[in-house]
Amino acid sequence: MKQALAKLLEQAIGQLQRDGVLPADASATIKLENTRDRAHGDLATNLAMALGKAAKCKPRELAALIIEAIPDNGVISKVEIAGPGFINFFLAQDARNAVIADILHAGPRYGANDDGAGERIQVEFVSANPTGPLHIGHGRGAALGDCICRLFELNGWQVTREFYYNDAGQQINNLALSVQSRCKGLGPGDPGWPVDGYRGDYIAEVAEAYMAGRTIDAEDQHVVGAADPEDIESIRHFAVAWLRREQDVDLQAFGVAFDVYTLESSLYETGQVEQTVQQLVDSGHCYERDDALWLRSTDFGDDKDRVMRKSAGGYTYFVPDVAYHVDKWQRGFKRVINEQGADHHSTITRVRAGLQALELGIPAGWPEYVLHQMVTVMRGGEEVKISKRAGSYVTLRDLIDEVGQDATRYFLAARAPSSQLVFDIDLAISRSNDNPVYYIQYAHARVCSVMDKLAQDGLQYNREQGLANLALLSNDNEKALVKRLGQYGEMVGKACRECEPHLVANYLRELAGEFHSFYNNHKVIIDDTALRNARLSLSLAVRQILHNGLDLLGVSAPEKM
RNA sequence: GCGCCCGUAGCUCAGCUGGAUAGAGUAGUGGCUUCCGAAGCCAUUGGUCGCAGGUUCGAAUCCUGCCGGGCGCGCCA
């Protein structure tokens, strides 16, 4: 609809240029925006104001000329010049109503498009260290990452969801030592407890299972506890496997599944880390100093050079990170998005610098990043400090159990990633009925309920008649709904381009609100068959979009509540 | 000190590739169910868009400088 109008305006501008009203080189991007106020029509453009100077005439006068130059068409029903020179377009109702038929025909696939042209894209998200259960911050990453994936899929991309396990660093040593101490009956604070040991109760659970010789059976791993408190390698292996399984269970409960899991340790085993280091050395961007190997990352915009190999031996964490991204590149992903917490912000420059230094033809801005800000958890009016070492934090599993998967996912995805998020557990639990997600789901259930009532009354929905009588939808509530439905496709495209799932949440709230308003003002099941079927068509289109949108967020669309 | 993010109604947040009287939820007040689900609707109260300059027909939105909050700034990951 918008595109059709933009094309008409383009033709109008071309006409005015031929007529000499506008200089041939005058140009302005044609910007059409959805109006906020219905009195301003459906779409408005500031074209006349933008071109006023070039045409050397007043914006309102130019607006009149533009309007005159617009070719005849079936899209526009009325045009007005308003304010300083806005051109307001009122769309023909027939043209607007067409969206209802489109939605009903496309069903669950409505909104899908070809923007991605089937290109492959990889989204890495969550990527929690296997040193403890997932907390609410990981939950935000999971909710956002998964929604972003769903958006890309809808927009025609072939998406790979990937999880990267840092299972090879110092923190894993701490984990192994912590479990070992528990195996020996030590607790946090006891003499001999590791300085940076993990204090949470789950460490004791891991130790107990290890000593009991329990088996961890998961998709890609089968590990048996060796029950030997002196075998630190065995403990490490068991603990990582245990915690990975725990995280998988949490993610499953959250409705998030990954296609590929990559272990940092595997990059060492395959020699990819060594190979990357060698290539970096060969590239001439490295140097030795103070017994350490450095990357001259300042050549690529970093504010200081970075150590690659420590003087005591061993690589710093970003070296396997670079090797990992080389691997992603070699797997053929022209686009890679890493969704992570903003506290990892500093790694971006470093990883990109390493990739540039390799001179593999990787673009400077590759990979892309979506960073989400911290989640603050409130409980009993007080902030709950999240500290893995202190063992006091809110796990994702707790949240799902208490708040429910739907509400948790909605809350965590409904805010812009760049904004800090306050998650008030008391509010989410005790006032769960006021939760916005129920408001949206309720609208969906209401349409289902209308359909039930229709059947109870011995009536049937006649789609053909409904679509043939859409012109009967003429009240403000109906018009508002039709207009909103018409914006779904545009919204979905923007949410994907900007990697901002919260746009979906906002849209759904608006749509649900407008439906509730319509529902309260007008009966759907009425004697007038033509109008009844038209309203049913509208309601079913609304239900479909609510369903599709909730699906993008990973939230269910219940038929009854 | 440097880098990134944020500062909009009592609270939680949208709006930010400049547009027409600044929006929603929640909290407060007052209404609406012999009629498809009141988990709803309608009305109303509430804002110097952190502050000060600048850019222009027009700034919550762009630029600069301050102030306030968060996160980073390691031969940790």
Side-chain angles (χ1 to χ4, degrees), chain A residues 334-349:
Chain A
K334 292 287 181 286
R335 281 194 76 184
V336 164
I337 295 176
N338 293 331
E339 203 291 339
Q340 35 184 249
D343 54 338
H344 290 84
H345 171 258
S346 60
T347 70
I348 297 177
T349 313

Side-chain angles (χ1 to χ4, degrees), chain A residues 480-496:
Chain A
L481 279 171
V482 169
K483 186 173 175 179
R484 183 74 59 185
L485 291 174
Q487 293 166 358
Y488 181 76
E490 187 187 341
M491 179 280 294
V492 149
K494 188 179 179 193
C496 180

Side-chain angles (χ1 to χ4, degrees), chain A residues 228-536:
Chain A
D228 177 0
E230 297 307 325
D231 187 350
I232 190 74
E233 275 311 310
S234 185
I235 291 175
R236 180 204 311 268
H237 194 51
F238 184 85
V240 168
W242 175 278
L243 290 166
R244 280 185 58 200
R245 189 191 57 184
E246 290 295 292
Q247 292 183 352
D248 286 352
V249 170
D250 292 350
L251 288 167
Q252 216 164 11
F254 206 41
V256 176
F258 290 87
D259 303 303
V260 177
Y261 295 87
T262 299
L263 271 63
E264 181 186 4
S265 58
S266 73
L267 297 168
Y268 284 97
E269 286 163 13
T270 58
Q272 284 167 289
V273 173
E274 271 306 327
Q275 195 185 345
T276 299
V277 170
Q278 193 55 53
Q279 284 171 346
L280 283 170
V281 170
D282 292 346
S283 76
H285 292 291
C286 299
Y287 60 90
E288 301 241 10
R289 195 181 74 198
D290 303 334
D291 297 324
L293 179 66
W294 296 69
L295 174 69
R296 198 177 290 105
S297 54
T298 47
D299 287 351
F300 305 98
D302 206 350
D303 55 351
K304 56 180 104 166
D305 291 341
R306 304 292 169 178
V307 169
M308 291 169 58
R309 189 180 59 235
K310 297 174 265 187
S311 56
Y315 296 114
T316 54
Y317 75 96
F318 92 94
V319 175
D321 244 21
V322 172
Y324 177 40
H325 281 87
V326 169
D327 183 68
K328 291 185 183 183
W329 178 257
Q330 287 171 343
R331 276 188 271 156
F333 293 109
K334 292 287 181 286
R335 281 194 76 184
V336 164
I337 295 176
N338 293 331
E339 203 291 339
Q340 35 184 249
D343 54 338
H344 290 84
H345 171 258
S346 60
T347 70
I348 297 177
T349 313
R350 232 162 290 182
V351 169
R352 284 180 178 165
L355 293 169
Q356 290 306 298
L358 286 166
E359 292 166 10
L360 295 171
I362 297 175
W366 190 97
E368 301 160 55
Y369 285 84
V370 174
L371 301 179
H372 64 260
Q373 295 290 321
M374 301 277 294
V375 181
T376 306
V377 183
M378 301 291 287
R379 175 176 246 147
E382 301 220 337
E383 184 180 339
V384 181
K385 291 290 181 191
I386 295 178
S387 165
K388 213 183 284 184
R389 286 185 187 148
S392 74
Y393 55 89
V394 180
T395 65
L396 180 58
R397 197 178 300 178
D398 289 342
L399 267 187
I400 298 170
D401 287 347
E402 292 177 28
V403 183
Q405 181 190 330
D406 284 346
T408 305
R409 280 193 75 137
Y410 182 90
F411 260 104
L412 292 175
R415 304 287 186 228
S418 61
S419 284
Q420 288 174 45
L421 175 64
V422 175
F423 199 111
D424 189 331
I425 292 182
D426 297 319
L427 189 75
I429 300 167
S430 70
R431 312 188 61 84
S432 60
N433 282 356
D434 295 329
N435 198 311
V437 70
Y438 294 120
Y439 182 83
I440 296 165
Q441 290 178 320
Y442 183 49
H444 182 270
R446 262 188 156 168
V447 179
C448 295
S449 166
V450 169
M451 297 310 288
D452 285 348
K453 181 70 166 54
L454 187 74
Q456 279 169 30
D457 291 354
L459 298 170
Q460 276 192 324
Y461 165 56
N462 184 327
R463 183 197 276 192
E464 201 178 336
Q465 188 182 32
L467 295 182
N469 287 287
L470 294 179
L472 297 174
L473 301 176
S474 56
N475 64 57
D476 285 353
N477 294 114
E478 291 160 346
K479 285 180 179 170
L481 279 171
V482 169
K483 186 173 175 179
R484 183 74 59 185
L485 291 174
Q487 293 166 358
Y488 181 76
E490 187 187 341
M491 179 280 294
V492 149
K494 188 179 179 193
C496 180
R497 280 192 305 278
E498 313 280 332
C499 288
E500 292 191 326
H502 73 283
L503 298 179
V504 179
N506 291 347
Y507 173 91
L508 290 176
R509 195 167 204 304
E510 301 288 330
L511 179 63
E514 280 157 354
F515 179 76
H516 286 310
S517 189
F518 160 74
Y519 182 89
N520 273 272
N521 281 327
H522 307 283
K523 283 202 68 171
V524 175
I525 301 174
I526 49 177
D527 292 337
D528 181 341
T529 316
L531 182 57
R532 181 177 73 223
N533 281 309
R535 283 182 177 166
L536 282 167

